[in-house]
Amino acid sequence: MEYLPKDPAILVSSVNMLLRDEEFDTLEALCYNFGTEPDDVKRYLFGHGFVYSAEQRQFRPIGYDE
């Protein structure tokens, strides 16, 4: 993968897979590799109904843990 996908569902799936399979230790390392800022990814996905859980190292639907 040379770039992060633009489609929110595919982006969430890709980021979560890369973190789960330990391709990257942190969201920051993943974003650095793809030339983007973690806050930009978090903001974009928050706008599409996802929030980042640092504890779980994954994006989850807003309200999932409530």
Side-chain angles (χ1 to χ4, degrees), residues 13-45:
S13 178
S14 298
V15 169
N16 285 348
M17 178 198 65
L18 290 168
L19 291 172
R20 179 194 68 227
D21 293 349
E22 299 181 359
E23 296 290 327
F24 297 95
D25 293 335
T26 64
L27 178 63
E28 290 75 16
L30 185 152
C31 289
Y32 175 77
N33 184 73
F34 289 101
T36 190
E37 293 295 320
D39 287 338
D40 292 342
V41 173
K42 289 178 184 178
R43 253 190 314 274
Y44 177 73
L45 288 176

Side-chain angles (χ1 to χ4, degrees), residues 6-9 11-12 40-51 60-62:
K6 302 291 185 223
D7 180 88
L11 178 59
V12 166
D40 292 342
V41 173
K42 289 178 184 178
R43 253 190 314 274
Y44 177 73
L45 288 176
F46 186 81
H48 288 88
F50 296 93
V51 65
R60 298 173 147 208
I62 294 172

